[in-house]
Amino acid sequence: MEVVVKAYGLLRERIGRDELKLNLSDSTNLRQLFRVLGDRCGWDIEKLVLTTDGDLDPGVLVSHNGVQVTSADAPLGAGDVILFLSPMPGG
């Protein structure tokens, strides 16, 4: 299945673009998407978006088809749009 990832802030810098289309297996969830993105960009994205307990970091906004996500285990479907808004370093 194909999903679209839109990234802003530090995550956009790490991915190297603001939008990315990915082909994933049908049973992929958000947590697995983070791993795929990390493998693709050569950086551990899970450290940015997940807490040490494995929950979504409250400082990172993750939206799934326009609805804010609260669980990294949320399943994905074909055509889904995932938006990541992470804080920028500095001030």
Side-chain angles (χ1 to χ4, degrees):
M1 70 178 167
E2 184 177 86
V3 300
V4 176
V5 175
K6 295 184 177 189
Y8 301 91
L10 181 59
L11 190 58
R12 183 202 176 285
E13 287 182 12
R14 297 296 184 180
I15 293 174
R17 54 181 25 164
D18 58 0
E19 184 172 307
L20 182 64
K21 292 181 181 179
L22 296 171
N23 287 308
L24 306 169
S25 67
D26 289 341
S27 61
T28 302
N29 63 26
L30 276 175
R31 187 180 310 277
Q32 294 162 324
L33 172 64
F34 302 149
R35 289 185 193 125
V36 169
L37 284 171
D39 290 345
R40 184 162 183 143
C41 73
W43 187 71
D44 189 356
I45 290 175
E46 289 177 281
K47 286 185 178 179
L48 176 66
V49 297
L50 298 177
T51 65
T52 55
D53 295 332
D55 298 324
L56 285 172
D57 187 319
V60 178
L61 172 71
V62 180
S63 169
H64 179 207
N65 295 330
V67 178
Q68 186 171 354
V69 177
T70 58
S71 171
D73 297 316
L76 302 178
D80 284 356
V81 177
I82 309 302
L83 179 135
F84 294 97
L85 179 59
S86 62
M88 288 294 293

